[in-house]
Amino acid sequence: NELMKRLMEQGLKEQGDQNRPFAYGFKIILHDAGKTETPAEETAPVAEPAEPSSEGTIEPIAEMYTTDDDVTVAVDLPGVDKENIHLSLINGTLTIIAGTSQLTSVEIPTVDADSMQSNYKHGVLEVKFSRGKPIRID
C-alpha cells in the first residue's frame, strides 16, 4: 500500500496540476497454454488474435460517452503505433486490437457505422459515431 501511495503522489507531481483528473489502466488476462477456454454462451464472432500467447493479453481500459447525437469510445493505448491499431464494428460490438497483445471489445448502442471517426493522440484512441437522424413520421 505504501508503494502505491508513493507512486500516486509521484504521478500527481509529474502531472503538474494536482486537481486535474487522470486515469490509466488495463487488465491482464493470462492464458494457460494447456487449457482451452470454453465461452459460457455463444455470442457473435469477434476478431481476436490468431493464437493467444502463453504470456497473456492486455485488455486496455475503454470508456464510452454518449449524448443524444453521438457515441464516443476512448481507449488508453500508450506506446502503440497508430499503424498497429485495428478497429471493427460487428453486431453492435466495437473491437479494438492494438499490436499483438492488446485486445478490448465494447458493446455500443445503435449507431450509424458509416459515420465512424477516429483520432489517436498522446496514447489515447477516440472513436466517435453518430447515432443517426431519427425517422420522422408524418
Side-chain angles (χ1 to χ4, degrees), residues 8-28:
M8 292 300 293
E9 288 173 355
Q10 180 182 356
L12 288 172
K13 286 178 187 173
E14 290 174 0
Q15 182 184 14
D17 181 3
Q18 292 189 7
N19 295 320
R20 189 173 134 203
F22 74 97
Y24 303 103
F26 53 88
K27 177 168 76 172
I28 299 175

Side-chain angles (χ1 to χ4, degrees), residues 58-107:
I58 297 173
E59 184 176 327
I61 298 295
E63 298 180 60
M64 181 171 49
Y65 306 96
T66 61
T67 66
D68 290 339
D69 299 325
D70 301 313
V71 174
T72 303
V73 176
V75 183
D76 289 331
L77 298 171
V80 176
D81 291 330
K82 182 167 59 170
E83 296 78 28
N84 294 329
I85 299 172
H86 305 280
L87 306 172
S88 68
L89 179 63
I90 300 171
N91 295 332
T93 301
L94 175 65
T95 301
I96 299 123
I97 299 173
T100 59
S101 65
Q102 297 187 46
L103 168 75
T104 192
S105 295
V106 180
E107 289 186 34

